[in-house]
Amino acid sequence: MSEYFNVVDIFGENVFNDSVMQERLPKKVYKRLHEVIDEGKELDLETADVVAHEMKEWAIEKGATHYTHWFQPLTGVTAEKHDSFITAPMKNGKVLMSFSGKELIKGEPDASSFPSGGLRATFEARGYTAWDCTSPAFVRQDAAGATLCIPTAFCSYTGESLDQKTPLLRSMEAIDKQSLRLLRLFGNTTSTKVMPSVGPEQEYFIVDREKYLKRKDLIFTGRTLFGAMPPKGQEMDDHYFGAIRERIAAYMRDVNKELWKLGVAAKTQHNEVAPAQHEMAPIYAECNVAVDHNQLTMETLRKVAGRHGLQCLLHEKPFAGVNGSGKHNNWSLTTDDGINLLDPGETPHENVQFLLVLTCILKAIDEHALLLRASAADVGNDHRLGANEAPPAILSVYLGDQLGDVMNQLISTGIATHSIEGERLETGVKTIPDFMKDATDRNRTSPFAFTGNKFEFRMLGSQDSVAQPNIVLNTIVAEAFAEACDELEKAADFELAVHDLIKKYAVDHQRVVFNGDGYSDEWVEEAQKRGLPNVKSMVDAIPAYTAPESVAAFEKFGVFTKPELESRVEIEYETYAKTINIEARAMIDIAGKQIIPAVIGYTTALGTSINAVKSACGDADLSAQTDILKETSALLSETKKALTKLIEVTDRGSELEEGREQAVYYKDEVKSAMDALRTPVDKLEMLVDKDVWPMPSYGDLIFEV
Ligand code: ADP
Ligand code: MG
């Protein structure tokens, strides 16, 4: 039995957080640094030097030998380059450990190998990482020893962002400024900052590592490219919220412990719908911290799995036929003095400020649905959004009974006079206390749902960074707030003007509200009638980034320049084509080197044994054996043909010039050739002797963890 620990003692022990800084930094330096963090003042080198020194001393006490600027390039994962603290050996042959303010503030990794989408030619390799002092540094302890990780932004020599962090911070400034304008209109003079709060719920699969290592498709692509359905899938719903098995529980415990040490407030964990699928959620945090923490969470989930002989699959669709994994992005706006702008209060119909915030958000979602859809696109997520899986690719907003009713009142009479109240929940069992129900039930099928005092954006893919969706959300809501404030600040009669504006927004954007079943076919039809876009693939979602209304919103708040957006579009197309190319090549490899040889072996052995039986017993009924042999041979021939075709199609794809056209080609041509190869192979798996099949089956992978 592993040792017990007290969470309070270990929580944040590896984070250079505020209490550590307060304790270790001279008062003056601490105060100065806070002016930088809280008020955005410029950091002087003298302060940086002191902070760096103390940070190093603290890290060394934790066993750190190296430091790294930890950043988030456009690869979707984090990047780091490690430097040790040692200085050049002295005359006596000894070294000192040093870390300067300069080294803390600025790093210069070779940027040429990170995606830049043409923003930077390879010969202009300079890229800088710059300290983001609003997200605390931390020490990571693992097989590499202990490393001081400094969250940074990453940009090119000419200042264009090459990462997720820079635009995220810019978007947070935008929403801060516009939210404060709005609050001031309602007489709030005390709040000085408004931050988006984000709580991402992370889904993942866990499989046995030894079995994983026998699946080349999982190793190379993170998902299975072949695999027949096991006799049992998720139809019994017996995994969802089921008791967590010991092996998984021990793993989760370790994950939590690691995360707590890093200051990630891991809170909830449970089994998800599909067998071998699980979920974890932290307590929400400020947007940029939440983004960092989600990266750390994914990293930790992967790393700790190895220690337990397990493998964590973060891909959106590791297995066909059972649910895939997503990420729910819970989002709200909170002031520095604790006011949640998305809290409707007991009587939302009277809460004019809330109604304005709400209708502004509806406007933002309606006007930028395509952009928001694009922000949730990644290659793996194409198996969910717009495929036969939840959530649908149509952006709609669920408000629930209470707010839906308030909206209807606004639309029909121009004034909301009452709010539906929650009722008592009576179980009929005396010993179970009755309690007040929420005024609104849940709707799990909505891609953008109001859940009490926050919105939950449910389209995100499980392995994607949550940066992009939050950049978009912050920006489009800032834009809506700005437009509302522009009108209201010049209004002669504020009460009247705000009332009219709320009604106008409610009427103009009611089409985006949908409280019904988002998974139904009727909704797809209805949405089309309402003119809501339904974009089914990443390739078709990408152009939204550079649509005129998107460029206008991003440029208005300095979140992205047009060239930055164009570069991101290039990167997305490239990523798409490269990913599908890898999948196709992996299939070619597996089919050619593992599956076809195995099936040939099987048919040969079967043929031999048919002959043997025939000679031993001439009138034996051999129809079963010969039928299987015929069927297997036919499928084998189909497999071979499909393989040849896939090779052809993929070779052609690799020769195309990178960009939209290539991505479209991979989506249309290569993917269908991949499907055509998978079909006969999955049928073969059902016919051929299990012992000859060259890899573990779906059943082995998802039921035997
Ligand atoms: P739900 O049951 O609505 O899914 P949970 O309480 O399980 O909500 O929380 C899901 C995630 O939402 C958690 O990460 C939680 O911290 C986060 N969350 C809760 N309140 C807020 C809020 N006001 N803003 C942002 N995230 C929040
Ligand atoms: Mg949720």
Side-chain angles (χ1 to χ4, degrees):
M1 193 65 211
S2 51
E3 99 279 22
Y4 291 95
F5 55 86
N6 184 337
V7 185
V8 176
D9 294 339
I10 63 163
F11 191 83
E13 73 173 24
N14 287 350
V15 186
F16 196 70
N17 55 26
D18 199 60
S19 57
V20 178
M21 292 200 281
Q22 191 162 21
E23 196 184 301
R24 302 188 72 122
L25 296 176
K27 266 210 179 72
K28 226 178 83 192
V29 174
Y30 175 76
K31 199 169 147 250
R32 186 81 196 101
L33 184 61
H34 255 285
E35 287 168 4
V36 178
I37 296 173
D38 302 334
E39 298 160 37
K41 290 201 177 151
E42 203 140 318
L43 183 70
D44 58 282
L45 206 54
E46 210 177 311
T47 307
D49 271 331
V50 181
V51 177
H53 175 78
E54 280 308 321
M55 211 185 249
K56 175 206 69 181
E57 291 297 303
W58 169 82
I60 289 174
E61 284 167 29
K62 307 253 162 229
T65 53
H66 288 70
Y67 72 91
T68 179
H69 277 197
W70 186 74
F71 60 105
Q72 298 169 26
L74 299 171
T75 52
V77 292
T78 54
E80 44 196 75
K81 176 184 135 211
H82 297 194
D83 278 297
S84 78
F85 290 118
I86 65 166
T87 54
M90 296 177 293
K91 279 210 180 78
N92 64 4
K94 299 234 180 233
V95 293
L96 291 173
M97 301 285 260
S98 82
F99 186 47
S100 70
K102 238 192 200 145
E103 289 168 308
L104 167 64
I105 294 178
K106 192 187 90 176
E108 198 187 333
D110 177 1
S112 58
S113 299
F114 290 108
S116 77
L119 266 186
R120 190 206 50 237
T122 314
F123 61 90
E124 294 163 343
R126 264 181 204 272
Y128 294 113
T129 49
W131 182 32
D132 167 21
C133 60
T134 62
S135 182
F138 54 92
V139 164
R140 193 182 46 206
Q141 294 161 320
D142 55 23
T147 309
L148 170 65
C149 300
I150 301 153
T152 52
F154 180 45
C155 54
S156 75
Y157 186 70
T158 44
E160 284 112 350
S161 75
L162 297 174
D163 71 344
Q164 308 277 23
K165 191 54 148 311
T166 314
L168 183 71
L169 293 173
R170 293 174 185 161
S171 75
M172 287 168 66
E173 274 176 33
I175 190 92
D176 175 28
K177 209 159 154 197
Q178 301 310 321
S179 303
L180 282 175
R181 267 179 87 190
L182 189 143
L183 285 175
R184 297 289 181 259
L185 280 170
F186 285 90
N188 176 324
T189 51
T190 44
S191 304
T192 59
K193 201 170 181 180
V194 181
M195 282 288 114
S197 302
V198 170
E201 300 165 59
Q202 176 74 49
E203 292 182 337
Y204 60 93
F205 277 83
I206 289 291
V207 297
D208 183 84
R209 188 162 162 79
E210 282 198 15
K211 291 187 187 127
Y212 162 86
L213 289 173
K214 292 188 183 134
R215 296 271 328 198
K216 285 204 160 82
D217 46 4
L218 285 179
I219 293 174
F220 290 125
T221 72
R223 74 180 184 100
T224 53
L225 300 167
F226 300 104
M229 275 305 291
K232 178 182 172 186
Q234 64 190 40
E235 57 278 74
M236 302 298 284
D237 288 330
D238 48 355
H239 185 69
Y240 191 51
F241 279 25
I244 299 171
R245 270 166 294 178
E246 282 254 315
R247 190 172 179 199
I248 303 296
Y251 161 72
M252 286 179 171
R253 179 179 190 273
D254 245 13
V255 167
N256 287 335
K257 188 175 175 191
E258 291 294 319
L259 289 176
W260 288 331
K261 286 205 272 185
L262 293 169
V264 180
K267 171 87 173 164
T268 314
Q269 62 196 27
H270 60 80
N271 287 353
E272 257 303 325
V273 174
Q277 192 185 30
H278 309 277
E279 178 181 303
M280 84 71 82
I283 296 173
Y284 64 93
E286 274 188 12
C287 190
N288 62 325
V289 173
V291 169
D292 285 358
H293 280 182
N294 184 248
Q295 290 289 356
L296 278 179
T297 300
M298 292 195 282
E299 209 175 291
T300 306
L301 284 168
R302 282 204 186 98
K303 196 180 312 189
V304 173
R307 292 184 209 152
H308 289 255
L310 299 167
Q311 183 72 32
C312 174
L313 306 175
L314 289 169
H315 194 282
E316 285 79 9
K317 195 74 179 175
F319 305 100
V322 295
N323 269 18
S325 299
K327 195 136 57 184
H328 292 178
N329 190 77
N330 293 271
W331 181 92
S332 68
L333 293 169
T334 323
T335 67
D336 56 333
D337 46 358
I339 304 165
N340 178 355
L341 271 60
L342 288 175
D343 187 353
E346 294 288 313
T347 49
H349 68 282
E350 296 173 330
N351 190 341
V352 180
Q353 181 186 305
F354 170 77
L355 290 177
L356 180 63
V357 168
L358 180 74
T359 48
C360 279
I361 293 176
L362 290 182
K363 176 175 185 280
I365 305 297
D366 189 23
E367 289 177 350
H368 292 288
L370 286 170
L371 183 58
L372 208 51
R373 162 69 181 89
S375 79
D378 78 5
V379 190
N381 220 12
D382 269 9
H383 296 280
R384 302 174 63 242
L385 302 179
N388 299 321
E389 191 168 326
I394 307 161
L395 252 161
S396 65
V397 181
Y398 171 78
L399 291 179
D401 300 339
Q402 191 187 49
L403 292 184
D405 177 60
V406 171
M407 271 282 288
N408 287 339
Q409 295 176 50
L410 282 171
I411 291 164
S412 57
T413 66
I415 183 150
T417 54
H418 57 274
S419 300
I420 299 174
E421 283 172 31
E423 291 163 11
R424 279 194 96 67
L425 180 86
E426 288 161 15
T427 59
V429 180
K430 277 208 194 70
T431 48
I432 297 178
D434 294 343
F435 55 81
M436 296 305 286
K437 288 196 287 196
D438 294 300
T440 287
D441 195 6
R442 290 303 177 108
N443 180 329
R444 297 279 171 204
T445 64
S446 174
F448 204 89
F450 187 76
T451 47
N453 61 1
K454 61 183 181 339
F455 271 106
E456 190 170 336
F457 184 26
R458 302 198 178 115
M459 275 189 175
L460 285 62
S462 49
Q463 66 181 338
D464 211 6
S465 160
V466 297
Q468 203 67 14
N470 286 300
I471 294 169
V472 169
L473 261 177
N474 296 342
T475 307
I476 64 177
V477 174
E479 182 191 50
F481 284 0
E483 280 177 30
C485 291
D486 288 346
E487 290 232 353
L488 296 174
E489 281 166 358
K490 60 173 193 240
D493 182 338
F494 175 73
E495 303 288 321
L496 196 68
V498 75
H499 171 268
D500 288 350
L501 200 61
I502 290 171
K503 172 164 187 211
K504 178 176 161 31
Y505 288 167
V507 171
D508 289 354
H509 303 289
Q510 56 177 309
R511 67 171 189 164
V512 80
V513 176
F514 177 64
N515 288 327
D517 180 1
Y519 297 176
S520 68
D521 295 335
E522 292 78 39
W523 169 231
V524 177
E525 266 172 50
E526 163 72 19
Q528 198 175 7
K529 276 193 212 132
R530 293 191 192 184
L532 301 178
N534 183 2
V535 180
K536 292 191 170 159
S537 80
M538 170 172 170
V539 174
D540 295 326
I542 294 171
Y545 278 112
T546 42
E549 63 274 18
S550 311
V551 176
F554 285 131
E555 288 201 327
K556 176 168 183 167
F557 300 104
V559 174
F560 285 120
T561 60
K562 193 160 184 234
E564 283 175 334
L565 289 165
E566 283 164 349
S567 79
R568 269 156 217 254
V569 162
E570 281 309 303
I571 293 170
E572 300 244 329
Y573 285 134
E574 275 171 36
T575 305
Y576 185 87
K578 280 182 187 159
T579 308
I580 305 292
N581 186 58
I582 293 170
E583 291 186 352
R585 302 255 172 234
M587 274 190 118
I588 292 167
D589 192 81
I590 296 165
K593 292 195 199 144
Q594 292 187 283
I595 291 167
I596 291 179
V599 178
I600 290 176
Y602 175 76
T603 47
T604 311
L606 187 55
T608 314
S609 80
I610 289 173
N611 284 336
V613 176
K614 217 182 266 171
S615 58
C617 172
D619 57 356
D621 179 0
L622 283 160
S623 59
Q625 292 94 315
T626 39
D627 279 354
I628 293 174
L629 185 57
K630 269 190 211 152
E631 209 179 328
T632 313
S633 304
L635 286 167
L636 181 60
S637 138
E638 195 185 329
T639 302
K640 177 69 181 66
K641 279 189 206 119
L643 174 62
T644 309
K645 170 91 192 197
L646 181 60
I647 294 172
E648 240 176 68
V649 172
T650 310
D651 284 347
R652 217 176 308 140
S654 315
E655 284 158 17
L656 294 176
E657 201 186 322
E658 285 179 342
R660 175 163 179 87
E661 205 185 317
Q662 190 193 34
V664 170
Y665 177 88
Y666 272 92
K667 171 173 81 76
D668 294 339
E669 307 297 326
V670 181
K671 278 189 95 167
S672 52
M674 287 166 64
D675 290 343
L677 175 58
R678 178 171 182 152
T679 308
V681 170
D682 287 359
K683 285 186 194 153
L684 281 169
E685 187 183 349
M686 297 302 287
L687 283 175
V688 168
D689 197 337
K690 183 163 172 52
D691 296 338
V692 235
W693 199 250
M695 63 194 87
S697 69
Y698 268 28
D700 301 335
L701 284 163
I702 59 179
F703 284 105
E704 295 174 28
V705 191

